Structure formats: C-alpha cells, structure tokens
Amino acid sequence: MSNSVNPTPVEETPAYNPAVVEQKWQESWKERQTNVTDIPNARDPFYALMMFPYPSAEGLHVGNLFAFVGNDIYGRFQRLQGHNVFEPLGYDAFGIHSENYALKVGKHPMELIPQNITNFRRQLERAGLMVDWSHSLSTTDPDYYKWTQWVFLQLLKQGLAYKKHAAVNWCPSCKTVLANEQVVGGACERCDTPVEQRFLSQWFFRISDYAARLLGNLDQLDWSETTKTAQRNWIGRSEGAEIRFPVKGAAAEGPSISVFTTRPDTVFGATYMVIAPEHPMVPALTSALYKSAVDQYLSRSARQDVVTRKSNTEKTGVFTGAYAVNPATGKDIPIWISDYVLMEYGTGAIMAVPGHDERDFEFARMFGLPIARVVCGEGEDASAPLEHAFTDSERGIIVNSGPFDGMAVATAKREIVAMLEEKGAAKPVINYRLHDWCISRQRYWGPPIPIIYCDEHGAVPVPEKDLPVLLPHVDDFKPDDSGVSPLARHEAWYVVPCPECGKPSRRETDVSDTFLDSAWYFLRYPSVGIDELPFDAGLTKKWLPVDSYIGGNEHAVLHLLYSRFITMVMSDMGIIDFEEPFTRFRAHGLIIRNGAKMSKSRGNVVIPDQYIDKWGADAFRTYLMFLGPFEEGGDFRDASISGVKRFLDRLWASAAVACDSSALDRRADPDVMRKLHQTIKKVGEDIPRLSYNTAIAAMMEYMNVLRRGERTPVRAEVEPLVQLVAPFAPHVAEELWEKFGRGESVFDGGWPAYDPALVAEETFDLVVQINGKTRGKLVVPRGISQEEAVAAALAEQSVSKFLAGEPGKIVFVPGRLLNLLG
RNA sequence: GCUCGGGUGGCGAAACCGGUAGACGCGAGGGACUUAAAAUCCCUUGGGCCAAAGCCCAUGCGGGUUCGAUCCCCGCCCCGAGCACCA
C-alpha cells in the first residue's frame, strides 16, 4: 500500500463552509426546479412517499426529520439509479390535536395552521430534501377536503357507509367526545374527570366486510414484517362455530340464542350462558322476579365509560331467570348477563365453559355456577375437580362428552360441529375482531360530512357538484355539553334546502375522522392542481401504486389499514386498477430522547435547527442516519456528530487536493481502487436495505484508506465517493461535483458501477481452528482446496503444535475456515 | 395477560447463510507537528493472568443441538412498543 507522504502545496482551497454551500445549492435547486417532477411526461417513474406530518406548533423535531431524511436518501438513490423520482410532502393538519392546541392558546385553527405550515416548510427546506413542493397539499385546504367529502359519498353510494347509534367516551368537564386513547384509567387524560358513556348516532364504514381480503392480501405485500403482524392481529381472524341454544321457560319460549365459539369441542362443558347487557334479547329473557336486579345492572354498566368497563378486573353479572338447553347434553343451563361479554364481537352472547376458559371460570367461581371438565391433560383424572381452567387445546383429550371421549381437541372440533350441524344447531363460522370504522367526530376542525337531513327524504347526500361543503369560520369552535359538533350552533350554516325537494333541511354537523383525510392523500399528490377530479386516471396509472412508502409503525394499523380499505373500494368501483396502495412499506424506528418518546410535556423535544446551524444540514442528515439502524431508531445523542462532520471535512479536503494541478498526472493506487470498488458495491447494496448506518461506515472506512498518512488522493479515487455520498449529503456532493467539472448536478451523473474483478480479493484470511478453537489465520489464495489448506495449516508451527498427531475429522468451509479435530 | 421488537466494550453500534465477536464512529490514553493551543495525522483501547511468548474468560441468565452458537431449540430474567374480558 502506498504510504508516500506528499505535503500538499494547496494554495487557495477554500475551507468547507456548510452554510455557504448549502445555501448556494438550495437556491440553485429552487431556481432550476430540479426537485419538480414532470408528472405527466416522466419516464421510469418512482413514487417515494413518506407519511405526511401533522404540522404542530412546536415545529419539526428530529424524530420527524429522521424519517424524512431516511426517505429522501432512498428517493435520491433511486434518482441516481436513473428513475424519475416523485417525492411529495404535505400536511395532515385537520384533527383533534390541532383543535385542542388552538383552544389552549386561544387562537383559531384557521390562523394557526397556516403559520405552523410555514414554519414546517422552512425547517424542511433547510434539511435539503428532494421534495417537489409544487405538488404539496394540506388536508385542510378546501381543494383537498372537497375530495375527502367526495370519497365519503362514493362509499355511501356503494352501500359501505351507514349510520348507527354507538357508544362514545364523553368528558363532562371538557364537554367533548374523547377517543379511546384519550381516556387514561377511566378519566380524561387532560382534566382527570371520570369519563362517561354516551350514545350518539354516528357514521360508519363497512371495513369489516373487507376483513378477509385485507388479511389475505398481506401475504403478497413487501412490507415490514412487524407491520404485517400488527395488521393480522388487528384484523383478528378466528375460526370456530356458531351454535344455537334454544331458550326454555321463563319469559320467552321458543326463540334461541346464537353464540360464537372457537372451542366447539367443549360444548358438553357449557354449564351456563352469558349475554351482553346490550343484547336485544335481554328484555324478553328477563323474568319478572329478576327484573329489578337486571335493570339495576343494565343502568350501572351503561353509565360506565367504554374503557373502564373493558378493564374491570372483577367479574360482575346478573341472572335473567331464563334457561337455555345445551344442544349437546340436552340439559337446562341458566342465562346470565355480564359486561365481560361484548356486543361488538361475535353474536354478543357466549356459551360459558368454565372448565376451559379463564374468564368463564372466574365468573362461575364468583356466582357459584357449576364447573365441568370435558378436556383432560395427559395422566389427569377426568373426574377430579378443576382448580383452574384447563385451556391447553394442543395437548387435550376430550372426556365426559359421550361419543367424543378420547378424541384429540382438533378432531373433536370437527366432529362435534358436524354432529350439531346435522341437528341444525350449528355451523362453522369465521369471525374477525375488526370493527366497522366510525368516522363521525362531534368536533369542529375537520371536513363536514356531506349529508343533509330532510324530514321527508331522510339522509340525503350533498350532490357532488355542490362540493365542497365548506367548513365555516366560526369563533366559538369550542365543544360543549350538547353532544353535537360546535357547527350545530350555527343555524345560518346548517339550515339548507333539501337537495331532493328544496324544503328547509339540516346539514350533518359532525365532521369526519382525520384518518379519512389521510386514507387517500397518496392518490391526490400526482394530481395536485387538477380541480375537476380527485385524481386523474392517466396520472394515477402512471404513478401508482406507491413504489416505496416509509413511515412510523405507530400507524401500522389504523392509517395503513384504512388506506388499503379505501383503495380496495376505489378498485372495486373501477376507478383505479390496483387494490393495494403501497407496493413496499418500511417502518422506520423511533428517535427517542433519554429513553422516552419526544414530547413537549416531557420537555425532551430536540429541534433540528440548532444542529443544522452548528454542523450543517449535510452533517446532520448523515449523522441521523449513522446513529443506528434506520428501522430501529434509537436514543438521540449528539455525541458523535463530530465524527460525521470530520468525514465530510476529509472528503472536502480530498477533493481539493485531487483537483489540484500537481495531482493530475499521478495515477490511482490499485489497492485504493480495489477498496473503492468494494465500497461502491457495499453502499449500493446497503441503501436499498435501508442499512444506512453501515453504508456510511463503509464510506468512512474507504476514507481511512484514501487518506491514510495524509496521502494525496487522485481524482479517480475521490470522484465516485462524491457520488456515493450524494444521497446522504447532497449539498456538499453537488459542490464537489461542480468542482470536478462534471456537470450541473451530481444527481444527473448516475450511480458508479463497480468492477467485479476488483471487488474479489485474490487471497483471503483462512481461519484455522484446532478442535473448534481459533489458533491462527493464514493468507491463502481464493480457490484453495481442502488438501492444500490442511497442508498449509500443518506447515504452520504455531498452529500445528496444538494438534497431537494426525487430524481426525476435518471441517473445511471454502473461503472461510478450516477446523481440524484431533 | 397476549403479540411483536430488543438485551453485544466506557458509549452509539457491526457481524447479510451457524464460521476470526466488537467493523465504523464517539469517548479515553499516548505520540508527531506547534512557542503554545486548536486543527490535522499516527498508535493503543472488552476483561483477567503473565516479565514475555502466551493462556484463560467474555454477546442478559441456565440448559441443549453442533466440529463450531451473538445467530437455531427449550426454560427463565430485564427493557421497549402495541393490543387488551375478542369467547
């Protein structure tokens, strides 16, 4: 390796000043519109999407920037590969978050949001993102939410939107509806007031109709496994059976109660039934004797908020006085009411098998109900009383179940359902825990739901030509105790003629969920600027589905599932020709600070500006990516940012000396070139895997070779490195590319190719182990045979001394290792 | 409770298919240059024993499989995220 120290007679190499370089190139990009994608005419399009931010008043924090930079590197890399890359970015600015903040600071969101957006834009531009700002959007812009309302109308037209009464969490102090995540321990997260339950009429989307498809398609998607797993769990497919239990005696004779169970094999052990307090059969089943107790129980559970009710630790319940007949045993079993049975899942009723279900066991113990054993573990006595529920279905054998005794659980499931099916008492059923999507929000800051209520015609959709239904600027946007949106206080707004008959009617005063805004925004980006359509068919065909989507795993379920659902609906309508919106999705990690998520309340938010001021955007971008694996995130520390800056300084200095006239006639060092080509290969393989930290490490390693001993590098050694660095540190790369006189932009220069012959070393270090212990390494030719390797190893005194006599077994891994066993 | 991640030097981390554990960076120590400092460059840096050659121990803990385990299997402990009475 060349170690000649050439004192460099550098005359006037200007020092690397990131502020100057970055300003110069940001202006240049803007002026030349290099980040504006030619949407209609682009060849080889690549849609690199990142989840759009909520423009908070605090501004962009390093966690946001980490994600955006990660996406930007991927996008820039694709551009260097020759794609026409579209990297849009907008703002998810509607929603309760913005509204609450506006209430807190006493400003109107219509004034606040534009300010926040301006600040965000400024911060984002400083980071040197390759964002096409000409295709930006905000969900709060009427040109955008006009089409959000249109999406609602399409679902309505497809029969996928409907209205029903549903329970919501209500904070009597804030006088507002709360989302489940805003209820902490049964109390409002903001004021600690106990939360109540209210029933309101709300709009729902039939996403549960799509459960099977949403689940099935996951297998084909190139998505982070963690995200797919989260979606699978959320959709929650359960295979089982629906079994009918005829009702006997008491207040009602004749009808039957259907239950869903995943354990039909335990039906002989069903010793009682439980129905949800909201079950429609409750009044019919309740006998006179028990009526007051039942009524008391019902009002008690109705008062409780949704979250607390689900987290009750002790089982509660009440007997209806009615009995049902177990279709397997023919015995009468009592029917109870308890809030541990949920109306939203299955049929709202269960057969209770206390012997083999922990919840049923607990309930049976509490109320002295019989516990029967119908499944036995190995070596257990079938007649012994159960001390706790035996739930292991893998290793269970059926007992006390007549003709099914001795069967394995899996077999009994099939056989028992078949037997009941013959009697017309059961059928196999698949259930999903995915519920329909409630999109109504009794709030101000969202797109009004485009519906008009007419006394004669009912809920009439606003004609598409009348969209958007503008959100009026009202001063009193604070929610109140009425349970309806603040818009319901503005008669001048909500009284409109019915579109059908023209009679005075009333607008829907609820707005839609923010997740509806974000469930289709990726369809809009290419068509931003087109007024007459939500998305142009030709542009959509050209750019979608999204090639690469990067975002946080906190949206693994809701946003990503809703987007898939809306896309499927559009596809079924024939508006688009694909049913999955995101071909590839990668979840980035979370940047935390001092072990906790960044949030203003914790006071650990790190704002990027100060770091960009001090180190420059290039160094900060590269540093964020060097911090740890992109898909894992990590704890933010600024400890080693100096190392990254030093790397860029050395790159700058290398380019300066390589450009120097005295360096022109010198030739590249073969060893350096070999390392260069290995680095090109490594970086080119790491970036698509989002293994940015190791790509940067590889470039640093090359830098160490390039500059070892203040060696003077030549142009051929440095120039390709500038290209490799470009996705990470685009400004400095542009500057050096220009210095090399290579043209207007490094991003037009393509990606350097590596020479496979230079990448392959002709020798390698053969690790020699004796009895599994590493005893040395030998530099040997690449294609060495086992015989040659053994001979070489035995010839080495320092190695063979550990071996007594001839080797017995020989383990040879070509290209890696030799293990000799004595 | 369930489901996913994760646990490796003083610190952030690497090891891509079961094959040299700790690349790269920070920090620390030493040296060169300098009147000095900064900057830059070079060397050392997991722990222990030893004068040295060298040896031993080490990837949360305990077992197992294997010639060989950070990696696979079984049983635990700890941290993080999500879900949470889903029958």
Side-chain angles (χ1 to χ4, degrees):
Chain A
M1 190 162 291
S2 163
N3 226 4
S4 58
V5 176
N6 294 342
T8 44
V10 189
E11 318 94 67
E12 44 206 302
T13 306
Y16 171 37
N17 183 339
V20 171
V21 171
E22 286 166 16
Q23 194 190 352
K24 168 181 166 183
W25 287 98
Q26 282 174 17
E27 278 167 13
S28 165
W29 293 334
K30 209 177 247 179
E31 202 176 291
R32 291 185 291 129
Q33 306 232 317
T34 54
N35 297 340
V36 176
T37 312
D38 183 354
I39 297 291
N41 303 311
R43 281 172 42 205
D44 208 358
F46 190 96
Y47 193 167
L49 182 66
M50 53 186 127
M51 285 184 184
F52 62 170
Y54 148 68
S56 69
E58 302 92 75
L60 189 76
H61 63 69
V62 295
N64 303 123
L65 199 60
F66 173 78
F68 296 150
V69 167
N71 183 66
D72 192 54
I73 287 164
Y74 195 73
R76 287 184 181 274
F77 177 72
Q78 293 300 337
R79 175 134 160 204
L80 285 160
Q81 301 290 314
H83 290 287
N84 263 294
V85 176
F86 180 39
E87 204 180 297
L89 190 58
Y91 308 95
D92 189 17
F94 263 143
I96 200 162
H97 198 152
S98 310
E99 189 180 310
N100 284 349
Y101 186 80
L103 285 167
K104 192 172 138 196
V105 300
K107 275 194 175 174
H108 196 281
M110 280 188 186
E111 278 106 53
L112 204 58
I113 289 296
Q115 291 169 13
N116 292 355
I117 286 179
T118 306
N119 185 38
F120 253 67
R121 171 84 181 259
R122 178 190 63 76
Q123 289 184 297
L124 288 164
E125 286 190 345
R126 291 196 70 190
L129 302 174
M130 197 176 71
V131 167
D132 179 353
W133 292 110
S134 73
H135 285 85
S136 190
L137 59 82
S138 169
T139 55
T140 53
D141 186 338
D143 289 342
Y144 181 83
Y145 72 70
K146 168 183 179 176
W147 300 114
T148 305
Q149 293 169 337
W150 175 87
V151 170
F152 173 87
L153 294 179
Q154 304 317 301
L155 272 98
L156 187 67
K157 222 190 276 177
Q158 299 301 305
L160 294 169
Y162 66 97
K163 224 180 172 192
K164 76 166 186 198
H165 276 272
V168 293
N169 303 302
W170 180 263
C171 172
S173 163
C174 301
K175 302 186 194 320
T176 183
V177 172
L178 300 176
N180 279 353
E181 54 269 29
Q182 295 175 296
V183 181
V184 178
C188 173
E189 70 168 356
R190 286 167 55 218
C191 66
D192 241 17
T193 310
V195 171
E196 297 171 357
Q197 185 177 214
R198 283 203 176 182
F199 279 85
L200 301 176
S201 178
Q202 315 201 64
W203 285 97
F204 284 81
F205 284 165
R206 287 187 204 283
I207 191 173
S208 59
D209 284 5
Y210 283 70
R213 237 163 114 194
L214 289 166
L215 183 69
N217 281 7
L218 283 175
D219 295 336
Q220 313 303 323
L221 293 179
D222 176 15
W223 281 26
S224 297
E225 265 323 303
T226 52
T227 311
K228 292 209 268 186
T229 306
Q231 292 217 347
R232 285 192 190 104
N233 292 342
W234 186 264
I235 296 169
R237 181 182 190 273
S238 287
E239 241 171 276
E242 211 170 286
I243 303 178
R244 282 194 315 127
F245 285 66
V247 174
K248 181 173 177 155
E253 185 80 62
S256 61
I257 302 171
S258 278
V259 303
F260 172 73
T261 177
T262 56
R263 294 293 305 275
D265 54 298
T266 62
V267 66
F268 284 85
T271 53
Y272 64 100
M273 295 186 81
V274 187
I275 63 177
E278 298 82 8
H279 198 282
M281 287 175 74
V282 164
L285 290 170
T286 305
S287 62
L289 188 58
Y290 295 91
K291 188 161 186 323
S292 68
V294 168
D295 286 349
Q296 210 181 344
Y297 186 75
L298 294 187
S299 69
R300 202 196 94 141
S301 63
R303 245 182 296 120
Q304 241 172 12
D305 74 277
V306 184
V307 175
T308 309
R309 173 174 159 178
K310 288 189 175 184
S311 58
N312 279 345
T313 43
E314 260 199 357
K315 295 275 178 293
T316 58
V318 65
F319 179 46
T320 59
Y323 289 82
V325 182
N326 182 324
T329 61
K331 284 187 190 154
D332 292 353
I333 56 175
I335 303 170
W336 285 67
I337 299 170
S338 174
D339 62 8
Y340 85 90
V341 174
L342 309 173
M343 196 58 221
E344 312 95 76
Y345 185 76
T347 62
I350 61 156
M351 64 174 205
V353 184
H356 306 286
D357 181 284
E358 276 159 24
R359 296 151 302 180
D360 296 345
F361 186 88
E362 196 192 326
F363 190 84
R365 272 280 167 93
M366 181 84 77
F367 294 100
L369 292 156
I371 298 169
R373 160 167 240 159
V374 290
V375 185
C376 235
E378 217 173 317
E380 280 182 315
D381 179 2
S383 57
L386 284 155
E387 282 310 309
H388 47 82
F390 178 82
T391 55
D392 187 349
S393 60
E394 297 288 306
R395 287 174 305 187
I397 300 296
I398 302 296
V399 295
N400 301 325
S401 299
F404 304 97
D405 286 0
M407 281 185 189
V409 164
T411 319
K413 278 185 182 175
R414 281 195 308 274
E415 299 288 324
I416 291 180
V417 171
M419 178 271 285
L420 293 171
E421 216 173 348
E422 239 164 73
K423 293 204 246 168
K427 60 175 187 223
V429 162
I430 289 161
N431 242 304
Y432 297 92
R433 57 196 302 177
L434 179 67
H435 300 334
D436 278 348
W437 173 15
C438 176
I439 59 132
S440 293
R441 295 292 180 273
Q442 294 72 36
R443 285 299 199 123
Y444 169 70
W445 193 232
I449 294 172
I451 288 287
I452 294 167
Y453 299 102
C454 169
D455 287 342
E456 203 167 313
H457 296 93
V460 181
V462 172
E464 288 182 22
K465 66 174 173 52
D466 294 342
L467 297 180
V469 177
L470 283 174
L471 178 69
H473 188 298
V474 303
D475 291 330
D476 59 330
F477 59 92
K478 194 176 180 196
D480 69 10
D481 199 28
S482 60
V484 291
S485 153
L487 292 175
R489 297 193 292 261
H490 292 267
E491 204 177 313
W493 180 76
Y494 70 69
V495 177
V496 284
C498 166
E500 302 271 336
C501 63
K503 281 191 202 140
S505 300
R506 194 189 159 97
R507 280 195 194 282
E508 168 68 65
T509 52
D510 283 356
V511 298
S512 59
D513 182 8
T514 337
F515 278 110
L516 182 57
D517 302 327
S518 57
W520 75 281
Y521 78 112
F522 47 90
L523 289 166
R524 180 65 182 169
Y525 277 139
S527 302
V528 162
I530 294 172
D531 291 337
E532 57 282 355
L533 288 168
F535 37 90
D536 175 83
L539 299 183
T540 304
K541 200 175 173 65
K542 190 179 181 80
W543 286 96
L544 283 124
V546 171
D547 295 286
S548 162
Y549 194 25
I550 286 176
N553 233 351
E554 69 272 22
H555 293 119
V557 179
L558 298 182
H559 161 62
L560 287 170
L561 200 63
Y562 294 152
S563 299
R564 294 180 61 213
F565 165 62
I566 296 294
T567 304
M568 272 179 200
V569 174
M570 297 289 156
S571 172
D572 288 352
M573 289 174 68
I575 302 177
I576 53 177
D577 61 358
F578 52 92
E579 64 172 47
E580 286 293 341
F582 315 120
T583 305
R584 173 183 148 116
F585 171 75
R586 291 293 180 274
H588 63 73
L590 214 58
I591 292 292
I592 55 175
R593 173 73 160 174
N594 303 329
K597 213 165 143 175
M598 281 185 202
S599 72
K600 210 181 177 193
S601 57
R602 287 194 189 84
N604 62 352
V605 175
V606 181
I607 301 296
D609 295 62
Q610 50 180 315
Y611 291 97
I612 294 179
D613 289 342
K614 183 165 180 197
W615 302 98
D618 282 333
F620 192 56
R621 285 168 59 108
T622 310
Y623 170 66
L624 284 176
M625 297 301 108
F626 187 57
L627 200 77
F630 183 64
E631 290 176 85
E632 280 167 38
D635 208 337
F636 183 83
R637 286 197 181 85
D638 49 15
S640 52
I641 188 166
S642 59
V644 171
K645 177 60 167 42
R646 192 166 299 140
F647 166 70
L648 294 180
D649 287 341
R650 297 174 94 195
L651 176 67
W652 181 277
S654 305
V657 288
C659 279
D660 190 75
S661 55
S662 67
L664 290 179
D665 49 348
R666 283 185 308 104
R667 305 194 42 204
D669 184 302
D671 287 334
V672 174
M673 288 308 278
R674 170 163 297 136
K675 184 71 183 171
L676 172 64
H677 282 253
Q678 289 165 352
T679 306
I680 294 171
K681 178 170 190 282
K682 168 98 176 128
V683 174
E685 286 168 355
D686 281 355
I687 293 178
R689 294 195 290 126
L690 309 185
S691 189
Y692 298 144
N693 54 336
T694 55
I696 295 164
M699 290 188 283
M700 288 173 164
E701 227 176 297
Y702 176 60
M703 180 61 76
N704 288 338
V705 171
L706 190 69
R707 294 289 275 166
R708 184 163 320 279
E710 293 191 305
R711 173 182 177 279
T712 308
V714 302
R715 195 180 162 128
E717 298 164 347
V718 181
E719 220 176 76
L721 180 61
V722 170
Q723 291 171 288
L724 300 189
V725 163
F728 299 89
H731 312 86
V732 73
E734 291 277 39
E735 181 69 20
L736 298 179
W737 195 247
E738 187 185 65
K739 199 187 273 286
F740 280 124
R742 286 297 305 271
E744 224 171 11
S745 174
V746 66
F747 294 98
D748 297 332
W751 188 253
Y754 64 85
D755 179 350
L758 286 177
V759 168
E761 300 274 6
E762 59 250 29
T763 60
F764 71 98
D765 291 350
L766 177 74
V767 174
V768 181
Q769 297 182 336
I770 305 295
N771 292 321
K773 276 202 190 305
T774 302
R775 295 300 187 181
K777 55 184 176 181
L778 306 172
V779 179
V780 297
R782 178 135 291 275
I784 193 171
S785 71
Q786 178 173 322
E787 290 71 30
E788 291 165 329
V790 173
L794 293 178
E796 200 66 38
Q797 234 288 303
S798 61
V799 171
S800 59
K801 70 175 178 187
F802 292 100
L803 194 67
E806 287 296 298
K809 192 176 169 185
I810 296 167
V811 179
F812 181 61
V813 184
R816 281 202 191 270
L817 145 154
L818 177 70
N819 188 4
L820 303 176
L821 304 170

